[in-house]
Amino acid sequence: RRDGARGAGVNADVLLVGGGLANALIAWRLAQVRPSLRVLLVERDGRLGGNHTWCCHASDLSATARAWLEPLVAHSWRSHAVRFPRYSRILPGGYLALTSARLHDWVAALVGPDALRLGCNVRSVDAGGAELDGGQRVDARVVIDGRGWPGARGLDVRFQKFLGLELELSASHRLTRPVLMDATVSQLDGYRFVYVLPFGPRRVLVEDTRYSDGPRLSTGRLRDATLEYVSAQGWQPVSVEREEVGVLPVALGGDPERFLGPADGVARVGLRGALFHPTTGYSLPDAVRVAAAIAADPLDDGPALATRLRRLSLATWRRRGFFRFLNRMLFQAAAPEQRYRVMQRFYRLDAALIDRFYADELRYRDRVRLLTGRPPVPIAQALACIAERPRRAGAAS
């Protein structure tokens, strides 16, 4: 649709390329607070959000953000548990989960069908719009690229890999809270733990997760390992309602400017904008903050917005250098089968410090506390991890 009053050739005020978490939240927030904007979201699949579950601690988000995000929250809990070979703990504090099914249903209903083009491939993106398959051109004043992880491209990364099964059980699982890490399982392919979210009395999501050096993932082996864990809990599945598979980046170092590519007037968000927690790979808190910032932006100059978001990405990367140092200790100083010891020690720390770690709000004394005491890795190897080196040629991406 063209509107001469807004400038010849303008089809939308804001073009969102990719319908993953980051752009779906931007569309949601713009529809809430600036409904007069003409927003167009283009996604290659038939639904928004793919097949995912996104989680975070309630303390990762401001009270304002939790309020506008609340309709998209599918499940929430007041505490969570962790389990290790020599230590188990229940931690207080809210934990929440978004599902791709709820994300699609609520966002699609709010923005309306005219704002969505699903099942539509994008050939190319530039500061003025995008070219779709079939040669159709979409022009826009602001272009935001949220098409997900583009590969490491100059970053030194390792990987959090997982396969999750959402199961309906024959009887209650009797869980009252999520188990964010059950590392009492055998250690395979790096640091391994099982992640369990109770969605209902007999509904549960069970994910076998590995912090690994490479991105390769055997769905068959992870599926078997997940079902073995389920059996060991005494649970009997009646049906597999859903299966989700993911590989998230864990950042050790690298060149973020090379990763982001040249400043071309296109704003980049989500994983494509290097906006993810370096250790967990989670992008929900960053996506919420970016959506709020974009909704408050004048949105009258796309390249200017792209410049501001690029600066935000680079500043965020610099601020999170301590996390990348911890990641290097985890992956480079600890033997793969001993990596669980690092997390076992971490979860003995003060609960408020743990909250600040996940919220990216570590204080100076928190950093000192994380590095004092008996180290869970050899000291000489830990010291070798201090310097952040450029990504090695040929490293996995």
Side-chain angles (χ1 to χ4, degrees), residues 113-291:
D114 289 344
L116 298 177
R117 289 199 187 182
L118 303 178
C120 183
N121 287 312
V122 175
R123 284 185 178 180
S124 62
V125 179
D126 57 63
E131 184 177 340
L132 311 182
D133 269 357
Q136 184 181 11
R137 173 76 184 177
V138 177
D139 296 320
R141 189 168 61 215
V142 174
V143 180
I144 300 175
D145 189 351
R147 288 177 291 175
W149 182 246
R153 296 198 311 199
L155 301 187
D156 185 7
V157 298
R158 301 300 184 269
F159 305 91
Q160 181 193 158
K161 308 180 300 191
F162 59 88
L163 181 143
L165 298 176
E166 187 174 334
L167 304 170
E168 185 72 18
L169 306 177
S170 61
S172 173
H173 46 64
R174 297 184 179 178
L175 294 174
T176 58
R177 60 182 61 88
V179 180
L180 300 196
M181 288 186 181
D182 186 345
T184 62
V185 295
S186 57
Q187 295 299 295
L188 305 170
D189 194 17
Y191 169 46
R192 178 191 175 213
F193 62 90
V194 177
Y195 178 75
V196 185
L197 299 179
F199 285 167
R202 294 190 298 134
R203 181 69 63 92
V204 64
L205 175 66
V206 184
E207 289 188 353
D208 190 294
T209 305
R210 320 281 174 93
Y211 270 62
S212 303
D213 295 308
R216 294 186 61 183
L217 182 152
S218 170
T219 56
R221 290 181 180 177
L222 264 70
R223 188 180 300 115
D224 289 345
T226 302
L227 291 173
E228 286 174 10
Y229 179 88
V230 169
S231 178
Q233 309 311 303
W235 301 336
Q236 296 183 350
V238 173
S239 60
V240 177
E241 300 299 315
R242 187 174 61 89
E243 177 178 298
E244 66 176 277
V245 179
V247 180
L248 299 176
V250 178
L252 275 64
D255 181 355
E257 294 206 32
R258 180 182 165 195
F259 174 81
L260 293 172
D264 56 4
V266 176
R268 292 172 174 81
V269 297
L271 294 181
R272 187 166 287 261
L275 292 166
F276 59 92
H277 193 291
T279 302
T280 67
Y282 288 0
S283 58
L284 175 57
D286 280 340
V288 169
R289 286 188 284 268
V290 168

